[in-house]
Amino acid sequence: MDSLRGFAVFGIFLVNMSMMAAPSMAYGSFAVFTDPVSFAVSLARHLLADGAFIFLFSLLFGASFGLMMDPFGSRQSGIGLPAYYRRLFLIGVLGFFHVTVLWFGDILMIYAMSGLFLPFFRRRKSRTLLIWAVLLFILPTLFFAGLLLIPLADSALYEQLDLDYETAIRSWIAYLNDGYLLEDFGQVARTRWTEYFYEPVVIFFTFFQCLGMMLLGLWMIRVGGFRQKPGERSIFRKALLWIIPTAIIGKLAYVYLIYDESSYGLSIICFVLSTFGGPALGILHFLGLRRLLRKERFRWLQKSLAAVGRMALTQYLLQSTFISLLFYGYGLGLYGKVPPLSQILIVCGFFSLQCLISLVWLRHFPMGPLEWVLRKFTYLR
């Protein structure tokens, strides 16, 4: 699980970089970099990364809850609800700090809010957990798709909305380019919070889906899904028969939403399908990494990823600290100036450094600095 968490930290950095380095809506027809290489790199990132790693991280959050709390963990009793809620409170505070000081794309506050509801499911049957996980993931998608159907009843309304949308996005991109390149830290912080609340429906949507994915992680801990057991290869082969087509169809639908959207009705269908592409891809990444790390020659990779995974909170915020100083006006001011290929190289280089830092740190200390603070606050000792 530590190795998977470390891999998720890398993947989230890879996905987030596109929104750290340029306006969050600057993709598809609104892309800042339009040369063939940038298009190819962006397309590969959309296909191979988007949506997969937030699924893995949410899965692990739910699984960690299962390890901490009775009766799913190996302990005789869990950490207790007061300690658990203190832990969530500090995670939420760190998320608030993250948005205010570092970067708008925080997930910690949403995790803190979604995690509030996990104790209500801790004594449910495995089948009940799985049903709730599926419902919480699917129903928000269907609800939002229903809202998108409204303009189809009025062609004039649709045309006006389409025109307003394009104007609003171009204005929004210009606002972010100006706001983040200011040297005044306070102005940049206000721009971050403005971007955080730009689409409140996305926060609402993400809250329910993260809770569903956490419940899936809780279910996996219950059934031993993170353990390697005899005969599991045949089970995974059968699972791949529906996971692979789901990932392919979902990711192609997602790319259509980004680069085409010539048919509004088809876009709604693609929106529903794309919701399943990221999680299915995340499962493929999970299975692929699991198989890779079995090989002795990749033991170094397993150790490196596990080290980052044990310091996931520290390294997640360290990534945002680095990016904040690299791209914003009070730092080097490279916002909107670094093409996708260079972004990927920055991610790979900095994550390699994070692996080295984690390995060295854990030789001298049992956990990362923020993990130590979180544990002290959780147990009050």
Short mmCIF file of all heavy atoms in Angstrom, two decimals, residues 102-165:
data_model
loop_
_atom_site.label_atom_id
_atom_site.label_comp_id
_atom_site.label_asym_id
_atom_site.label_seq_id
_atom_site.Cartn_x
_atom_site.Cartn_y
_atom_site.Cartn_z
N LEU A 102 -0.28 28.00 -1.17
CA LEU A 102 0.48 27.26 -2.18
C LEU A 102 -0.22 27.13 -3.52
O LEU A 102 0.26 27.62 -4.54
CB LEU A 102 0.83 25.87 -1.63
CG LEU A 102 1.67 25.86 -0.35
CD1 LEU A 102 1.85 24.44 0.16
CD2 LEU A 102 3.01 26.52 -0.58
N TRP A 103 -1.36 26.43 -3.57
CA TRP A 103 -1.99 26.12 -4.85
C TRP A 103 -3.49 25.89 -4.68
O TRP A 103 -3.92 25.35 -3.66
CB TRP A 103 -1.34 24.88 -5.47
CG TRP A 103 -1.88 24.50 -6.81
CD1 TRP A 103 -1.98 25.31 -7.91
CD2 TRP A 103 -2.43 23.24 -7.19
NE1 TRP A 103 -2.55 24.62 -8.95
CE2 TRP A 103 -2.83 23.34 -8.54
CE3 TRP A 103 -2.61 22.03 -6.53
CZ2 TRP A 103 -3.41 22.29 -9.23
CZ3 TRP A 103 -3.18 20.97 -7.22
CH2 TRP A 103 -3.57 21.10 -8.55
N PHE A 104 -4.28 26.27 -5.69
CA PHE A 104 -5.74 26.20 -5.56
C PHE A 104 -6.28 24.77 -5.60
O PHE A 104 -7.34 24.48 -5.03
CB PHE A 104 -6.40 27.01 -6.69
CG PHE A 104 -6.70 26.21 -7.93
CD1 PHE A 104 -7.95 25.64 -8.12
CD2 PHE A 104 -5.71 25.99 -8.89
CE1 PHE A 104 -8.23 24.89 -9.25
CE2 PHE A 104 -5.99 25.24 -10.01
CZ PHE A 104 -7.25 24.69 -10.20
N GLY A 105 -5.56 23.84 -6.25
CA GLY A 105 -6.13 22.52 -6.53
C GLY A 105 -6.01 21.55 -5.37
O GLY A 105 -5.57 20.41 -5.56
N ASP A 106 -6.42 21.97 -4.20
CA ASP A 106 -6.30 21.12 -3.01
C ASP A 106 -7.36 20.03 -2.99
O ASP A 106 -8.49 20.24 -3.43
CB ASP A 106 -6.45 21.98 -1.75
CG ASP A 106 -6.49 21.16 -0.50
OD1 ASP A 106 -5.44 20.62 -0.13
OD2 ASP A 106 -7.59 21.03 0.09
N ILE A 107 -6.99 18.85 -2.48
CA ILE A 107 -7.94 17.76 -2.29
C ILE A 107 -8.13 17.44 -0.82
O ILE A 107 -9.07 16.73 -0.44
CB ILE A 107 -7.46 16.50 -3.06
CG1 ILE A 107 -8.58 15.47 -3.21
CG2 ILE A 107 -6.26 15.87 -2.33
CD1 ILE A 107 -9.76 15.93 -4.01
N LEU A 108 -7.29 18.01 0.06
CA LEU A 108 -7.32 17.65 1.47
C LEU A 108 -8.62 18.07 2.15
O LEU A 108 -9.17 17.35 2.99
CB LEU A 108 -6.13 18.25 2.20
CG LEU A 108 -4.74 17.77 1.75
CD1 LEU A 108 -3.65 18.52 2.50
CD2 LEU A 108 -4.59 16.27 1.95
N MET A 109 -9.14 19.26 1.81
CA MET A 109 -10.39 19.71 2.44
C MET A 109 -11.55 18.82 2.04
O MET A 109 -12.43 18.50 2.86
CB MET A 109 -10.67 21.18 2.08
CG MET A 109 -9.81 22.16 2.84
SD MET A 109 -10.35 23.89 2.65
CE MET A 109 -9.88 24.21 0.95
N ILE A 110 -11.57 18.40 0.77
CA ILE A 110 -12.64 17.50 0.32
C ILE A 110 -12.50 16.14 1.00
O ILE A 110 -13.50 15.53 1.42
CB ILE A 110 -12.61 17.35 -1.21
CG1 ILE A 110 -13.01 18.67 -1.86
CG2 ILE A 110 -13.53 16.22 -1.67
CD1 ILE A 110 -12.99 18.67 -3.36
N TYR A 111 -11.27 15.66 1.16
CA TYR A 111 -11.06 14.40 1.87
C TYR A 111 -11.53 14.51 3.33
O TYR A 111 -12.11 13.57 3.88
CB TYR A 111 -9.58 14.01 1.83
CG TYR A 111 -9.17 13.31 0.56
CD1 TYR A 111 -10.06 13.15 -0.49
CD2 TYR A 111 -7.88 12.82 0.41
CE1 TYR A 111 -9.68 12.51 -1.66
CE2 TYR A 111 -7.48 12.18 -0.76
CZ TYR A 111 -8.39 12.03 -1.79
OH TYR A 111 -8.01 11.39 -2.94
N ALA A 112 -11.25 15.64 3.95
CA ALA A 112 -11.68 15.84 5.33
C ALA A 112 -13.20 15.81 5.44
O ALA A 112 -13.77 15.22 6.37
CB ALA A 112 -11.13 17.15 5.87
N MET A 113 -13.88 16.44 4.47
CA MET A 113 -15.35 16.46 4.50
C MET A 113 -15.93 15.09 4.16
O MET A 113 -16.87 14.62 4.81
CB MET A 113 -15.87 17.52 3.53
CG MET A 113 -15.59 18.95 3.97
SD MET A 113 -16.36 20.19 2.91
CE MET A 113 -15.36 20.04 1.41
N SER A 114 -15.38 14.43 3.15
CA SER A 114 -15.87 13.09 2.79
C SER A 114 -15.61 12.09 3.90
O SER A 114 -16.44 11.23 4.21
CB SER A 114 -15.21 12.61 1.50
OG SER A 114 -15.51 13.46 0.41
N GLY A 115 -14.43 12.23 4.53
CA GLY A 115 -14.05 11.31 5.59
C GLY A 115 -14.95 11.38 6.82
O GLY A 115 -15.01 10.43 7.61
N LEU A 116 -15.66 12.50 6.99
CA LEU A 116 -16.58 12.63 8.12
C LEU A 116 -17.64 11.54 8.13
O LEU A 116 -18.15 11.15 9.18
CB LEU A 116 -17.27 14.00 8.08
CG LEU A 116 -16.42 15.23 8.39
CD1 LEU A 116 -17.22 16.50 8.13
CD2 LEU A 116 -15.94 15.21 9.84
N PHE A 117 -17.98 11.03 6.95
CA PHE A 117 -19.09 10.08 6.82
C PHE A 117 -18.64 8.61 6.86
O PHE A 117 -19.47 7.72 6.92
CB PHE A 117 -19.86 10.35 5.53
CG PHE A 117 -20.52 11.71 5.52
CD1 PHE A 117 -19.85 12.82 5.01
CD2 PHE A 117 -21.80 11.88 6.03
CE1 PHE A 117 -20.44 14.07 5.01
CE2 PHE A 117 -22.40 13.12 6.03
CZ PHE A 117 -21.72 14.23 5.52
N LEU A 118 -17.33 8.37 6.81
CA LEU A 118 -16.86 7.00 6.80
C LEU A 118 -17.25 6.20 8.05
O LEU A 118 -17.61 5.02 7.93
CB LEU A 118 -15.34 6.97 6.62
CG LEU A 118 -14.81 7.26 5.21
CD1 LEU A 118 -13.28 7.24 5.20
CD2 LEU A 118 -15.35 6.27 4.19
N PRO A 119 -17.21 6.80 9.26
CA PRO A 119 -17.59 6.01 10.43
C PRO A 119 -19.01 5.45 10.38
O PRO A 119 -19.30 4.43 11.01
CB PRO A 119 -17.44 7.01 11.59
CG PRO A 119 -16.38 7.95 11.12
CD PRO A 119 -16.64 8.11 9.66
N PHE A 120 -19.91 6.10 9.62
CA PHE A 120 -21.28 5.59 9.51
C PHE A 120 -21.34 4.26 8.76
O PHE A 120 -22.35 3.56 8.81
CB PHE A 120 -22.17 6.62 8.82
CG PHE A 120 -22.33 7.90 9.59
CD1 PHE A 120 -21.64 9.04 9.22
CD2 PHE A 120 -23.14 7.96 10.71
CE1 PHE A 120 -21.78 10.23 9.93
CE2 PHE A 120 -23.29 9.13 11.44
CZ PHE A 120 -22.60 10.28 11.04
N PHE A 121 -20.25 3.93 8.04
CA PHE A 121 -20.25 2.71 7.22
C PHE A 121 -19.35 1.62 7.80
O PHE A 121 -19.26 0.54 7.23
CB PHE A 121 -19.76 3.05 5.81
CG PHE A 121 -20.66 3.96 5.04
CD1 PHE A 121 -20.46 5.33 5.05
CD2 PHE A 121 -21.72 3.45 4.29
CE1 PHE A 121 -21.30 6.18 4.34
CE2 PHE A 121 -22.55 4.29 3.58
CZ PHE A 121 -22.35 5.66 3.60
N ARG A 122 -18.71 1.87 8.93
CA ARG A 122 -17.66 0.95 9.37
C ARG A 122 -18.21 -0.41 9.80
O ARG A 122 -17.47 -1.38 9.81
CB ARG A 122 -16.82 1.57 10.48
CG ARG A 122 -17.57 1.88 11.74
CD ARG A 122 -16.62 2.50 12.76
NE ARG A 122 -17.32 2.86 13.98
CZ ARG A 122 -16.77 2.83 15.17
NH1 ARG A 122 -15.53 2.42 15.30
NH2 ARG A 122 -17.44 3.20 16.24
N ARG A 123 -19.47 -0.49 10.18
CA ARG A 123 -20.03 -1.77 10.61
C ARG A 123 -21.01 -2.35 9.58
O ARG A 123 -21.76 -3.28 9.89
CB ARG A 123 -20.71 -1.63 11.97
CG ARG A 123 -19.75 -1.19 13.07
CD ARG A 123 -20.37 -1.22 14.44
NE ARG A 123 -19.48 -0.65 15.44
CZ ARG A 123 -18.49 -1.32 16.02
NH1 ARG A 123 -18.26 -2.57 15.70
NH2 ARG A 123 -17.72 -0.73 16.92
N ARG A 124 -21.01 -1.79 8.39
CA ARG A 124 -21.90 -2.30 7.34
C ARG A 124 -21.31 -3.56 6.72
O ARG A 124 -20.09 -3.77 6.73
CB ARG A 124 -22.12 -1.25 6.25
CG ARG A 124 -22.71 0.06 6.77
CD ARG A 124 -24.06 -0.13 7.39
NE ARG A 124 -24.60 1.11 7.91
CZ ARG A 124 -25.66 1.20 8.70
NH1 ARG A 124 -26.27 0.09 9.09
NH2 ARG A 124 -26.09 2.37 9.11
N LYS A 125 -22.16 -4.35 6.13
CA LYS A 125 -21.70 -5.55 5.45
C LYS A 125 -20.90 -5.18 4.21
O LYS A 125 -21.07 -4.10 3.64
CB LYS A 125 -22.90 -6.42 5.07
CG LYS A 125 -23.69 -6.95 6.26
CD LYS A 125 -24.87 -7.77 5.79
CE LYS A 125 -25.67 -8.31 6.99
NZ LYS A 125 -26.85 -9.10 6.55
N SER A 126 -20.07 -6.11 3.77
CA SER A 126 -19.24 -5.86 2.60
C SER A 126 -20.08 -5.52 1.37
O SER A 126 -19.76 -4.60 0.60
CB SER A 126 -18.35 -7.08 2.31
OG SER A 126 -17.48 -7.34 3.37
N ARG A 127 -21.17 -6.25 1.18
CA ARG A 127 -22.03 -6.00 0.03
C ARG A 127 -22.65 -4.61 0.11
O ARG A 127 -22.75 -3.91 -0.91
CB ARG A 127 -23.12 -7.06 -0.03
CG ARG A 127 -24.03 -6.93 -1.24
CD ARG A 127 -25.08 -8.03 -1.23
NE ARG A 127 -25.98 -7.89 -2.37
CZ ARG A 127 -27.03 -8.67 -2.58
NH1 ARG A 127 -27.29 -9.66 -1.74
NH2 ARG A 127 -27.79 -8.47 -3.63
N THR A 128 -23.03 -4.18 1.30
CA THR A 128 -23.61 -2.85 1.49
C THR A 128 -22.59 -1.76 1.15
O THR A 128 -22.92 -0.76 0.50
CB THR A 128 -24.09 -2.67 2.93
OG1 THR A 128 -25.03 -3.71 3.25
CG2 THR A 128 -24.76 -1.32 3.13
N LEU A 129 -21.34 -1.97 1.58
CA LEU A 129 -20.29 -1.01 1.24
C LEU A 129 -20.13 -0.86 -0.26
O LEU A 129 -20.01 0.25 -0.79
CB LEU A 129 -18.96 -1.47 1.85
CG LEU A 129 -18.77 -1.33 3.36
CD1 LEU A 129 -17.43 -1.92 3.77
CD2 LEU A 129 -18.85 0.13 3.77
N LEU A 130 -20.13 -1.98 -0.96
CA LEU A 130 -19.94 -1.96 -2.40
C LEU A 130 -21.10 -1.26 -3.10
O LEU A 130 -20.89 -0.48 -4.05
CB LEU A 130 -19.79 -3.40 -2.92
CG LEU A 130 -19.18 -3.58 -4.31
CD1 LEU A 130 -17.83 -2.89 -4.40
CD2 LEU A 130 -19.05 -5.06 -4.63
N ILE A 131 -22.32 -1.51 -2.65
CA ILE A 131 -23.49 -0.87 -3.25
C ILE A 131 -23.43 0.64 -3.05
O ILE A 131 -23.66 1.42 -3.99
CB ILE A 131 -24.78 -1.45 -2.64
CG1 ILE A 131 -24.98 -2.90 -3.09
CG2 ILE A 131 -26.00 -0.61 -3.05
CD1 ILE A 131 -26.12 -3.61 -2.40
N TRP A 132 -23.13 1.08 -1.82
CA TRP A 132 -23.03 2.51 -1.56
C TRP A 132 -21.91 3.16 -2.37
O TRP A 132 -22.04 4.28 -2.86
CB TRP A 132 -22.81 2.76 -0.07
CG TRP A 132 -24.08 2.88 0.71
CD1 TRP A 132 -24.64 1.94 1.52
CD2 TRP A 132 -24.96 4.01 0.73
NE1 TRP A 132 -25.82 2.41 2.05
CE2 TRP A 132 -26.04 3.68 1.59
CE3 TRP A 132 -24.94 5.26 0.12
CZ2 TRP A 132 -27.08 4.57 1.84
CZ3 TRP A 132 -25.98 6.15 0.37
CH2 TRP A 132 -27.03 5.80 1.21
N ALA A 133 -20.79 2.45 -2.50
CA ALA A 133 -19.67 2.99 -3.28
C ALA A 133 -20.09 3.25 -4.73
O ALA A 133 -19.80 4.31 -5.30
CB ALA A 133 -18.49 2.02 -3.24
N VAL A 134 -20.81 2.30 -5.31
CA VAL A 134 -21.26 2.43 -6.70
C VAL A 134 -22.29 3.56 -6.82
O VAL A 134 -22.22 4.38 -7.74
CB VAL A 134 -21.84 1.09 -7.20
CG1 VAL A 134 -22.47 1.28 -8.58
CG2 VAL A 134 -20.75 0.04 -7.28
N LEU A 135 -23.24 3.62 -5.89
CA LEU A 135 -24.28 4.64 -5.95
C LEU A 135 -23.71 6.05 -5.80
O LEU A 135 -24.09 6.96 -6.54
CB LEU A 135 -25.33 4.39 -4.87
CG LEU A 135 -26.25 3.18 -5.07
CD1 LEU A 135 -27.18 3.02 -3.88
CD2 LEU A 135 -27.07 3.32 -6.36
N LEU A 136 -22.81 6.23 -4.85
CA LEU A 136 -22.23 7.56 -4.63
C LEU A 136 -21.37 8.00 -5.81
O LEU A 136 -21.18 9.20 -6.03
CB LEU A 136 -21.39 7.55 -3.36
CG LEU A 136 -22.18 7.54 -2.06
CD1 LEU A 136 -21.27 7.25 -0.87
CD2 LEU A 136 -22.90 8.86 -1.85
N PHE A 137 -20.87 7.04 -6.55
CA PHE A 137 -20.05 7.38 -7.71
C PHE A 137 -20.92 7.69 -8.94
O PHE A 137 -20.64 8.61 -9.70
CB PHE A 137 -19.09 6.23 -8.04
CG PHE A 137 -18.02 6.61 -9.01
CD1 PHE A 137 -16.91 7.32 -8.59
CD2 PHE A 137 -18.13 6.28 -10.34
CE1 PHE A 137 -15.93 7.69 -9.48
CE2 PHE A 137 -17.15 6.65 -11.25
CZ PHE A 137 -16.04 7.36 -10.81
N ILE A 138 -22.00 6.93 -9.11
CA ILE A 138 -22.82 7.04 -10.32
C ILE A 138 -23.86 8.15 -10.24
O ILE A 138 -24.05 8.92 -11.19
CB ILE A 138 -23.49 5.69 -10.64
CG1 ILE A 138 -22.44 4.66 -11.04
CG2 ILE A 138 -24.52 5.85 -11.75
CD1 ILE A 138 -23.03 3.29 -11.31
N LEU A 139 -24.57 8.25 -9.11
CA LEU A 139 -25.71 9.17 -9.03
C LEU A 139 -25.35 10.63 -9.26
O LEU A 139 -26.09 11.33 -9.97
CB LEU A 139 -26.41 9.00 -7.67
CG LEU A 139 -27.15 7.67 -7.48
CD1 LEU A 139 -27.83 7.62 -6.12
CD2 LEU A 139 -28.18 7.46 -8.59
N PRO A 140 -24.23 11.17 -8.70
CA PRO A 140 -23.88 12.56 -9.04
C PRO A 140 -23.65 12.77 -10.53
O PRO A 140 -23.99 13.82 -11.08
CB PRO A 140 -22.59 12.79 -8.23
CG PRO A 140 -22.66 11.82 -7.12
CD PRO A 140 -23.32 10.60 -7.69
N THR A 141 -23.07 11.78 -11.19
CA THR A 141 -22.84 11.87 -12.63
C THR A 141 -24.17 11.97 -13.39
O THR A 141 -24.34 12.82 -14.27
CB THR A 141 -22.06 10.64 -13.14
OG1 THR A 141 -20.81 10.58 -12.45
CG2 THR A 141 -21.81 10.73 -14.63
N LEU A 142 -25.11 11.12 -13.03
CA LEU A 142 -26.42 11.12 -13.70
C LEU A 142 -27.18 12.41 -13.40
O LEU A 142 -27.86 12.96 -14.27
CB LEU A 142 -27.23 9.91 -13.26
CG LEU A 142 -26.64 8.54 -13.64
CD1 LEU A 142 -27.53 7.41 -13.12
CD2 LEU A 142 -26.46 8.43 -15.15
N PHE A 143 -27.07 12.91 -12.17
CA PHE A 143 -27.74 14.16 -11.80
C PHE A 143 -27.19 15.32 -12.62
O PHE A 143 -27.95 16.13 -13.18
CB PHE A 143 -27.55 14.42 -10.31
CG PHE A 143 -28.06 15.76 -9.85
CD1 PHE A 143 -29.42 15.97 -9.69
CD2 PHE A 143 -27.18 16.80 -9.59
CE1 PHE A 143 -29.90 17.21 -9.27
CE2 PHE A 143 -27.64 18.04 -9.17
CZ PHE A 143 -29.01 18.24 -9.01
N PHE A 144 -25.86 15.41 -12.71
CA PHE A 144 -25.25 16.49 -13.47
C PHE A 144 -25.57 16.37 -14.95
O PHE A 144 -25.81 17.37 -15.64
CB PHE A 144 -23.74 16.49 -13.24
CG PHE A 144 -23.05 17.73 -13.71
CD1 PHE A 144 -23.39 18.97 -13.21
CD2 PHE A 144 -22.05 17.66 -14.67
CE1 PHE A 144 -22.76 20.11 -13.65
CE2 PHE A 144 -21.40 18.80 -15.12
CZ PHE A 144 -21.76 20.03 -14.60
N ALA A 145 -25.58 15.13 -15.46
CA ALA A 145 -25.94 14.91 -16.87
C ALA A 145 -27.37 15.37 -17.13
O ALA A 145 -27.69 15.93 -18.19
CB ALA A 145 -25.78 13.45 -17.23
N GLY A 146 -28.28 15.14 -16.16
CA GLY A 146 -29.66 15.60 -16.29
C GLY A 146 -29.74 17.12 -16.41
O GLY A 146 -30.53 17.66 -17.20
N LEU A 147 -28.91 17.83 -15.63
CA LEU A 147 -28.89 19.29 -15.72
C LEU A 147 -28.40 19.74 -17.09
O LEU A 147 -28.89 20.75 -17.64
CB LEU A 147 -27.98 19.87 -14.63
CG LEU A 147 -28.44 19.69 -13.17
CD1 LEU A 147 -27.41 20.30 -12.23
CD2 LEU A 147 -29.81 20.33 -12.96
N LEU A 148 -27.44 19.00 -17.65
CA LEU A 148 -26.91 19.37 -18.96
C LEU A 148 -27.92 19.16 -20.08
O LEU A 148 -27.78 19.73 -21.17
CB LEU A 148 -25.65 18.55 -19.25
CG LEU A 148 -24.43 18.83 -18.36
CD1 LEU A 148 -23.30 17.86 -18.67
CD2 LEU A 148 -23.96 20.27 -18.53
N LEU A 149 -28.93 18.34 -19.82
CA LEU A 149 -29.96 18.09 -20.85
C LEU A 149 -30.92 19.27 -21.02
O LEU A 149 -31.58 19.38 -22.06
CB LEU A 149 -30.77 16.84 -20.49
CG LEU A 149 -30.06 15.49 -20.67
CD1 LEU A 149 -30.90 14.38 -20.07
CD2 LEU A 149 -29.81 15.22 -22.16
N ILE A 150 -31.01 20.13 -20.04
CA ILE A 150 -31.99 21.23 -20.07
C ILE A 150 -31.86 22.12 -21.31
O ILE A 150 -32.85 22.41 -21.98
CB ILE A 150 -31.90 22.06 -18.77
CG1 ILE A 150 -32.29 21.20 -17.57
CG2 ILE A 150 -32.78 23.30 -18.86
CD1 ILE A 150 -32.12 21.88 -16.23
N PRO A 151 -30.63 22.56 -21.68
CA PRO A 151 -30.54 23.43 -22.87
C PRO A 151 -30.98 22.77 -24.17
O PRO A 151 -31.29 23.48 -25.14
CB PRO A 151 -29.04 23.77 -22.93
CG PRO A 151 -28.55 23.58 -21.54
CD PRO A 151 -29.35 22.44 -21.01
N LEU A 152 -31.02 21.44 -24.24
CA LEU A 152 -31.43 20.77 -25.47
C LEU A 152 -32.88 21.06 -25.82
O LEU A 152 -33.28 20.97 -26.99
CB LEU A 152 -31.23 19.25 -25.34
CG LEU A 152 -29.78 18.75 -25.43
CD1 LEU A 152 -29.74 17.24 -25.25
CD2 LEU A 152 -29.13 19.15 -26.75
N ALA A 153 -33.68 21.41 -24.83
CA ALA A 153 -35.10 21.69 -25.08
C ALA A 153 -35.31 23.04 -25.74
O ALA A 153 -36.39 23.32 -26.26
CB ALA A 153 -35.88 21.62 -23.76
N ASP A 154 -34.29 23.87 -25.74
CA ASP A 154 -34.42 25.22 -26.31
C ASP A 154 -33.15 25.52 -27.10
O ASP A 154 -32.10 25.79 -26.52
CB ASP A 154 -34.63 26.23 -25.19
CG ASP A 154 -34.95 27.63 -25.71
OD1 ASP A 154 -34.63 27.93 -26.88
OD2 ASP A 154 -35.52 28.42 -24.94
N SER A 155 -33.23 25.50 -28.43
CA SER A 155 -32.04 25.71 -29.26
C SER A 155 -31.46 27.10 -29.09
O SER A 155 -30.24 27.29 -29.11
CB SER A 155 -32.39 25.47 -30.73
OG SER A 155 -33.43 26.33 -31.15
N ALA A 156 -32.33 28.10 -28.91
CA ALA A 156 -31.84 29.47 -28.73
C ALA A 156 -31.05 29.58 -27.42
O ALA A 156 -30.00 30.24 -27.36
CB ALA A 156 -33.00 30.45 -28.71
N LEU A 157 -31.56 28.93 -26.38
CA LEU A 157 -30.86 28.93 -25.10
C LEU A 157 -29.51 28.25 -25.23
O LEU A 157 -28.50 28.73 -24.70
CB LEU A 157 -31.71 28.21 -24.05
CG LEU A 157 -31.05 28.01 -22.67
CD1 LEU A 157 -30.74 29.35 -22.02
CD2 LEU A 157 -31.96 27.17 -21.77
N TYR A 158 -29.47 27.13 -25.98
CA TYR A 158 -28.21 26.41 -26.15
C TYR A 158 -27.18 27.27 -26.88
O TYR A 158 -26.02 27.35 -26.48
CB TYR A 158 -28.45 25.12 -26.94
CG TYR A 158 -27.18 24.50 -27.45
CD1 TYR A 158 -26.27 23.92 -26.58
CD2 TYR A 158 -26.88 24.54 -28.81
CE1 TYR A 158 -25.09 23.37 -27.04
CE2 TYR A 158 -25.70 23.99 -29.28
CZ TYR A 158 -24.80 23.41 -28.39
OH TYR A 158 -23.64 22.89 -28.86
N GLU A 159 -27.60 27.95 -27.95
CA GLU A 159 -26.67 28.78 -28.72
C GLU A 159 -26.13 29.93 -27.87
O GLU A 159 -24.95 30.26 -27.94
CB GLU A 159 -27.38 29.33 -29.96
CG GLU A 159 -27.69 28.25 -31.00
CD GLU A 159 -28.47 28.80 -32.18
OE1 GLU A 159 -28.71 30.03 -32.19
OE2 GLU A 159 -28.83 28.02 -33.08
N GLN A 160 -27.00 30.50 -27.05
CA GLN A 160 -26.56 31.61 -26.19
C GLN A 160 -25.59 31.12 -25.13
O GLN A 160 -24.57 31.75 -24.85
CB GLN A 160 -27.77 32.26 -25.53
CG GLN A 160 -27.43 33.50 -24.70
CD GLN A 160 -26.79 34.60 -25.53
OE1 GLN A 160 -27.23 34.90 -26.64
NE2 GLN A 160 -25.72 35.20 -25.02
N LEU A 161 -25.90 29.96 -24.54
CA LEU A 161 -25.02 29.39 -23.53
C LEU A 161 -23.66 29.04 -24.11
O LEU A 161 -22.62 29.25 -23.48
CB LEU A 161 -25.65 28.14 -22.91
CG LEU A 161 -26.82 28.37 -21.94
CD1 LEU A 161 -27.42 27.04 -21.52
CD2 LEU A 161 -26.36 29.16 -20.73
N ASP A 162 -23.66 28.51 -25.35
CA ASP A 162 -22.41 28.14 -26.01
C ASP A 162 -21.54 29.38 -26.23
O ASP A 162 -20.33 29.36 -26.01
CB ASP A 162 -22.72 27.44 -27.33
CG ASP A 162 -21.47 26.86 -27.97
OD1 ASP A 162 -20.71 26.19 -27.27
OD2 ASP A 162 -21.26 27.09 -29.17
N LEU A 163 -22.18 30.46 -26.68
CA LEU A 163 -21.45 31.70 -26.92
C LEU A 163 -20.94 32.29 -25.61
O LEU A 163 -19.79 32.73 -25.51
CB LEU A 163 -22.37 32.70 -27.63
CG LEU A 163 -21.75 34.07 -27.98
CD1 LEU A 163 -20.58 33.90 -28.93
CD2 LEU A 163 -22.81 34.99 -28.59
N ASP A 164 -21.80 32.30 -24.59
CA ASP A 164 -21.41 32.84 -23.29
C ASP A 164 -20.27 32.02 -22.69
O ASP A 164 -19.38 32.58 -22.04
CB ASP A 164 -22.61 32.83 -22.34
CG ASP A 164 -23.68 33.85 -22.74
OD1 ASP A 164 -23.36 34.72 -23.56
OD2 ASP A 164 -24.80 33.74 -22.24
N TYR A 165 -20.30 30.70 -22.88
CA TYR A 165 -19.28 29.82 -22.32
C TYR A 165 -17.91 30.15 -22.90
O TYR A 165 -16.93 30.31 -22.16
CB TYR A 165 -19.64 28.36 -22.60
CG TYR A 165 -18.59 27.38 -22.15
CD1 TYR A 165 -18.48 27.04 -20.79
CD2 TYR A 165 -17.71 26.78 -23.05
CE1 TYR A 165 -17.51 26.14 -20.36
CE2 TYR A 165 -16.74 25.89 -22.62
CZ TYR A 165 -16.66 25.57 -21.28
OH TYR A 165 -15.70 24.69 -20.87
#
